[in-house]
Structures are given as C-alpha cells and as structure tokens.
Amino acid sequence: MTLTLETATDRASYMAALLDLPVSSPLQGWGYGEARRVLGHEPVRYLVRQGGRTVGAVQLMRKSLAPGVSTLYAPRGPVLADRALLPEFARAVRQVARRTDHVLTIEPPEPLVAGDSPEQEDLAAEQAVIPDRIGPFRRTKAEQPEHTILIDTSQEPDTVFTGLHKMARRNVRTATRMGVQAGRDASFGDFWEIFTATNERSNLGAFPRHYYETLLREADQDGGEAYLLLSRHEGRALAGGFFLGLGDTTAYLYGGSVRDDRPPSEGEKRKDAKAPDAFYWSAITDAHEHGYSRLDLWGIPRLLDEQKHSFGVLRMKLKFGTQRYWFPAYDLALSPLSTPLRTALKARRSYLNYRRFGTTDDVL
C-alpha cells in the first residue's frame, strides 16, 4: 500500500508518534532539529502514513549548498514500523522534495551486528553483511559514526559490572574509594571546559557553543531527554558528556576528559582518581535507572587499529562494552545532479580531513 508523508507542524504530536514506534532514534527528536537550525539547516518533519495509519516518522535536515542546490538528510532515520517500507518511503520522499533537493541521505536506526569482541578479525567480512542497496537507496558514507558500541542497560548494574573488563572494574572501584562523584550535573560551563579542552588536545572540530546549549534546552521535553553527566573529584569536574535520550535509547554524543593539574594535597604527585572510568560507569547505571534499555557510546573507528587517531577513546570504550554494531547510510538520487554533487561532497570531505588530520580518512 502506498506511503504518504504528512507534514508535522505540532511538536507534541510528532514526538508522540515517534515514541509510539518500535525503534528509537534520539536524533529524530524535534529538539535535535531545532539545534541543527542553529547551524543553518532547515528541519522538516513528516508522519509516514499508510492506509490511514501512522507507520513512521522522519525528520529531514535541508542544507543549502548554493543557490538552487540543497540536500536532505535524515540523521539516524527514518523511523519506520518496518524496514521493508524503505523502498516505498523513497517514492514518498520524491513527492515532497523541492526541485532544489538533489540528494537524500538516510541512516536507518536499526543496527547491524558487527561483532562481540574487542578484536576485529576481518573488516571486509563485517562489511559484507551490510546491503549495498535497499531498493533505490545505495550505500554511502554516514554523517554520524557508523560503527559503535551498544550496551544493554536493561540488565541490573551488578550483572553489567561483572561483565566489564577487569581494568574497568578495578578503576571504578578505585574511583569510588577515592571519593569520585559521577552523575547528572547542571553545570554546562564545566562540561564545556572539558569538551573544548578535549577537542583542542585531539585537534578535533566542534560546533558553536550555542548549538549545544540549544540542544540541551530543546531536546529535553515532550518525552525526550538531553542531559549532562560529569565526574568530579574533590569538586573538580574531570570527565563528562552530553547525552540525548528517546524511547529505549540514550546516546553519548559529546564529551571528554581533562588531566587533574591541581597540586596534590599530600605527597609529590596527585593520584589518578580514574574519573573517566567513573564517568562511563555512571552513564551505564544512569541509563538503567532512567529506563533506557540501550546505551549508544556513539562512535568507534571503522578499523580497530592502534594507528587510528581515535584509538585512545576506543580503548576506553572497549573496557565497558564490546558489542559492536554498524549503522550504515544510504543515498537516494533526487535529480540528475546527484552523482556529480555526491562526488564533489566526497572530495570536500577528504580535503578537510587531510588538512586537519593529514589523512583523507575520517576520524572514526
């Protein structure tokens, strides 16, 4: 039966429809779209209808590249009752797309299993299970990290703790013994200090501060959550992150850690309080306490290689979870200009990566 896209202009009804679907996607929440508006993107939302029933919801970001040239992007979307509806969804999008929209990129929110080990034996074999095409959609690079770790937080924390890497268990106990306090925190200023210091140390980019402030405000309503977790030792915030929750999933989107440069209270050297480990453990226990059955650690390198720029972050995440998944992306051509446009966007991305990291590869 034919799908149609019905424009959603009411936040509450859109969010209610999104939450009623079997798959959760925090980036499809209304508030995330309002934050992207700060970056110059135009969020447009639709209810996906079939025979009088709502069978999905989608938030598309329209990005203008030049006069008469724009792209559409569904971050971790669309959210559909059945993935088999994607080919029909493509036809429905073509009915509502503007003449200036030349490419649609989607990131279906249903994860595909990559492996349950911190070791990656064969990247090509893992990728082979990912379809190259879904109807008229064809595989492309994802904007969001396509390789991630998902942690089952529906289990009791004691059960999860037993399954952690022995180093994680030891460090969490050390942090507790040293009096580290980790949990939800209202200090955006402390989070921002940690986040910017981490980005500068790792030579990573970031959006303007107003984007994160808008996301924290706009995504924390109508059934969605946006919140900060900080890990403090003797009052000083040493690790922290920004989380977005919706339905059964919460995602650790942004964060980092800083070194404790305060002079020791005694002795010649300040002891390592293991604040980052306390932070990750707090993310797990907090997700369980607030009813989330899945914590998305939001991004590890495609290739688990020590030479990767982000290997240090990977090593930390692997201490707390080894269930790896793929969230592949797909493109839909909306005009004859789509092929050269995709080629140009790919070249631009490679150029920016090379300027920043000395390689055309993405950080993750």
Side-chain angles (χ1 to χ4, degrees):
M1 192 175 294
T2 302
L3 293 186
T4 58
L5 298 187
E6 179 182 301
T7 302
T9 57
D10 179 70
R11 178 197 287 250
S13 59
Y14 170 82
M15 290 293 290
L18 191 63
L19 287 163
D20 196 42
L21 291 162
V23 179
S24 294
S25 182
L27 268 58
Q28 283 290 293
W30 191 285
Y32 183 75
E34 293 307 298
R36 296 284 292 224
R37 196 187 295 276
V38 171
L39 306 179
H41 303 170
E42 177 194 357
V44 287
R45 295 98 173 179
Y46 299 97
L47 299 181
V48 183
R49 307 275 289 168
Q50 184 183 54
R53 297 184 304 117
T54 297
V55 295
V58 64
Q59 176 171 240
L60 302 177
M61 307 299 169
R62 177 174 284 115
K63 183 178 181 180
S64 178
L65 304 178
V69 180
S70 57
T71 60
L72 294 174
Y73 166 52
R76 287 285 174 93
V79 179
L80 300 172
D82 187 341
R83 186 185 176 98
L85 294 171
L86 278 172
E88 183 61 33
F89 173 77
R91 286 188 281 272
V93 168
R94 287 195 170 107
Q95 295 300 311
V96 300
R98 295 176 182 172
R99 286 185 297 174
T100 57
D101 298 329
H102 298 285
V103 179
L104 164 66
T105 301
I106 65 170
E107 295 167 342
E110 299 86 0
L112 303 176
V113 175
D116 59 0
S117 167
E119 304 297 328
Q120 186 179 53
E121 295 182 3
D122 191 338
L123 175 60
E126 289 184 7
Q127 291 281 299
V129 304
I130 301 175
D132 286 331
R133 301 186 75 97
I134 303 177
F137 291 98
R138 68 178 188 179
R139 183 86 185 276
T140 189
K141 276 194 171 185
E143 179 170 326
Q144 305 303 326
E146 71 166 1
H147 194 193
T148 190
I149 292 172
L150 300 179
I151 298 175
D152 179 3
T153 50
S154 66
Q155 305 176 81
E156 289 298 320
D158 286 348
T159 302
V160 178
F161 190 80
T162 301
L164 299 184
H165 188 281
K166 62 181 181 181
M167 187 69 74
R169 297 197 304 271
R170 187 178 73 181
N171 289 351
V172 169
R173 291 189 183 108
T174 297
T176 301
R177 187 170 61 251
M178 293 185 66
V180 173
Q181 301 292 318
R184 295 203 178 193
D185 201 297
S187 179
F188 183 86
D190 285 346
F191 159 75
W192 188 249
E193 179 182 345
I194 291 170
F195 183 52
T196 53
T198 301
N199 289 338
E200 290 170 3
R201 183 175 69 243
S202 302
N203 194 29
L204 299 174
F207 298 129
R209 176 169 175 155
H210 184 45
Y211 162 81
Y212 303 95
E213 292 173 326
T214 301
L215 183 58
L216 189 60
R217 180 184 68 253
E218 293 290 338
D220 196 35
Q221 51 187 302
D222 294 302
E225 269 200 311
Y227 58 96
L228 305 175
L229 286 178
L230 295 180
S231 182
R232 297 179 180 273
H233 182 232
E234 297 175 355
R236 170 80 183 277
L238 298 173
F242 189 123
F243 293 76
L244 210 60
L246 186 72
D248 64 1
T249 300
T250 185
Y252 167 37
L253 298 185
Y254 316 107
S257 63
V258 293
R259 294 186 182 278
D260 192 348
D261 55 5
R262 296 172 297 175
S265 56
E266 58 184 34
E268 297 182 356
K269 185 178 180 181
R270 177 172 284 275
K271 293 181 180 179
D272 184 356
K274 306 300 181 185
D277 295 85
F279 161 74
Y280 275 93
W281 178 238
S282 175
I284 292 171
T285 58
D286 181 90
H288 177 80
E289 290 167 5
H290 286 84
Y292 297 110
S293 60
R294 185 167 72 179
L295 169 62
D296 189 342
L297 293 187
W298 210 255
I300 58 176
R302 296 179 76 252
L303 177 63
L304 306 189
D305 185 346
E306 292 188 15
Q307 303 304 313
K308 288 292 293 184
H309 185 82
S310 52
F311 188 77
V313 175
L314 166 67
R315 188 165 49 194
M316 172 63 79
K317 291 180 178 180
L318 286 173
K319 289 194 298 184
F320 289 87
T322 59
Q323 296 286 330
R324 299 182 290 107
Y325 294 84
W326 297 105
F327 283 92
Y330 295 88
D331 273 351
L332 174 69
L334 297 175
S335 83
L337 186 60
S338 63
T339 298
L341 181 59
R342 282 183 290 202
T343 300
L345 290 174
K346 181 179 179 181
R348 180 179 181 274
R349 184 169 181 166
S350 296
Y351 171 71
L352 293 175
N353 282 342
Y354 186 79
R355 284 195 60 183
R356 175 164 291 165
F357 307 116
T359 174
T360 57
D361 293 338
D362 290 333
V363 172
L364 295 179

